[in-house]
Amino acid sequence: MGYCELCDKNFGSMGALIQHQRDSPRHRYCLRCEKPFNSLSALNQHIRGSPKHHLCHLCPGSLDFSSRDELDSHQETVHHYCNSCDRCFNTSGQLRDHDISDHNMCSVCGDYFQSSSNLKAHLITHQPKDKECFGCYKKFSSWSAMLLHMEYDGCPSEVDEDEIIGIALECYQSKRYRCDYGEYNFECPTCASPFLQMSGLLQHAESDACQESLAQGRPLSKFLHFLRIRLA
Ligand SMILES: [Zn+2]
Ligand SMILES: [Zn+2]
Ligand SMILES: [Zn+2]
Ligand SMILES: [Zn+2]
Ligand SMILES: [Zn+2]
Ligand SMILES: [Zn+2]
Ligand SMILES: [Zn+2]
């Protein structure tokens, strides 16, 4: 049995009632939610407020999607739309460039980062692991990661933090990066930022925090060369 309040009419079964509410011009029926409404404005109000409906405000006919994800991917691919800036771009390439420069998106995997320096640090993980430990055969994507492995990670060659510091201070380049004040062992040859560990100083040189780098001829590149010979 079913009863339609709006029409004050009884029906022999629920199926017949639904059939009536779906087909009668007096009713507006939401097919997705299987719910009848008494007027077009009631139906529209339902669509705007329901979590089962997601309207694209950029489409002329307000296309309706069943989930937030579907709406997001529609707006991204069709409108090249950036949600956080509420802005459309002409091409997907422009949206991508915008995401990379304004939202710190990784161009390799598409993840987003809080700051450009976080992104920069993350990008190192996509670099090929082509830097082989001087003490064993393990490979790393950055020299600072290799040093960290030597300092703390129990490299099979049994080199450790103290030995790295000793070798670093023995190197003839050490006058360029040794730190003579406080508890610090090293400092950046360019900006004099102090570091306890060689891995920290190398990470600083690998980042864009300052001009210092591991380019050939720079003090830290010469240190790495010295370290390789000492551990051979
Ligand atoms: Zn009815
Ligand atoms: Zn609905
Ligand atoms: Zn749309
Ligand atoms: Zn944006
Ligand atoms: Zn990435
Ligand atoms: Zn090793
Ligand atoms: Zn520096």
Side-chain angles (χ1 to χ4, degrees):
M1 286 290 281
Y3 171 69
C4 179
E5 260 178 76
L6 183 71
C7 308
D8 188 24
K9 228 167 145 181
N10 279 304
F11 294 89
S13 67
M14 278 309 282
L17 172 64
I18 288 168
Q19 178 95 46
H20 155 76
Q21 287 175 329
R22 195 179 291 187
D23 298 341
S24 156
R26 296 193 64 179
H27 293 282
R28 299 289 170 161
Y29 194 78
C30 177
L31 283 173
R32 187 175 297 158
C33 305
E34 299 183 328
K35 250 175 153 169
F37 295 89
N38 293 345
S39 66
L40 186 59
S41 66
L43 174 64
N44 283 337
Q45 201 181 350
H46 154 75
I47 286 174
R48 257 173 304 192
S50 158
K52 286 194 175 175
H53 297 272
H54 300 268
L55 296 181
C56 176
H57 65 286
L58 303 164
C59 277
S62 288
L63 264 180
D64 186 359
F65 296 88
S66 58
S67 72
R68 181 78 225 180
D69 282 356
E70 274 176 50
L71 173 61
D72 283 348
S73 80
H74 159 80
Q75 290 187 325
E76 198 186 310
T77 52
V78 175
H79 305 293
H80 315 301
Y81 177 69
C82 174
N83 215 335
S84 32
C85 301
D86 188 23
R87 191 174 152 195
C88 286
F89 294 87
N90 293 325
T91 65
S92 55
Q94 282 175 8
L95 174 60
R96 186 181 145 85
D97 289 348
H98 165 77
D99 277 331
I100 291 169
S101 66
D102 289 29
H103 301 299
N104 302 309
M105 186 184 86
C106 171
S107 58
V108 181
C109 66
D111 280 354
Y112 291 88
F113 294 86
Q114 290 292 331
S115 65
S116 60
S117 57
N118 286 5
L119 169 60
K120 178 105 183 182
H122 161 79
L123 278 169
I124 290 176
T125 65
H126 290 305
Q127 281 173 13
K129 291 195 172 179
D130 57 359
K131 293 161 183 75
E132 195 176 285
C133 175
F134 300 154
C136 66
Y137 294 104
K138 217 168 162 185
K139 291 190 172 185
F140 299 88
S141 54
S142 68
W143 292 117
S144 57
M146 186 200 77
L147 261 285
L148 206 60
H149 152 79
M150 287 180 164
E151 287 164 355
Y152 300 112
D153 206 21
C155 174
S157 72
E158 290 184 346
V159 64
D160 63 10
E161 186 193 350
D162 290 340
E163 198 176 342
I164 296 286
I165 292 172
I167 294 172
L169 295 180
E170 222 176 280
C171 174
Y172 73 108
Q173 287 289 323
S174 65
K175 59 182 187 297
R176 312 278 304 272
Y177 56 69
R178 84 179 300 152
C179 181
D180 292 322
Y181 59 90
E183 54 184 328
Y184 296 105
N185 297 306
F186 309 113
E187 66 179 33
C188 171
T190 298
C191 70
S193 297
F195 297 90
L196 281 171
Q197 317 301 353
M198 213 28 164
S199 57
L201 176 54
L202 288 183
Q203 191 174 32
H204 171 78
E206 285 168 336
S207 78
D208 57 0
C210 92
Q211 291 298 308
E212 191 54 55
S213 77
L214 300 182
Q216 211 178 358
R218 295 297 308 157
L220 293 170
S221 160
K222 290 182 177 169
F223 155 72
L224 285 170
H225 185 69
F226 184 74
L227 180 66
R228 186 198 295 270
I229 291 167
R230 282 297 308 273
L231 294 177

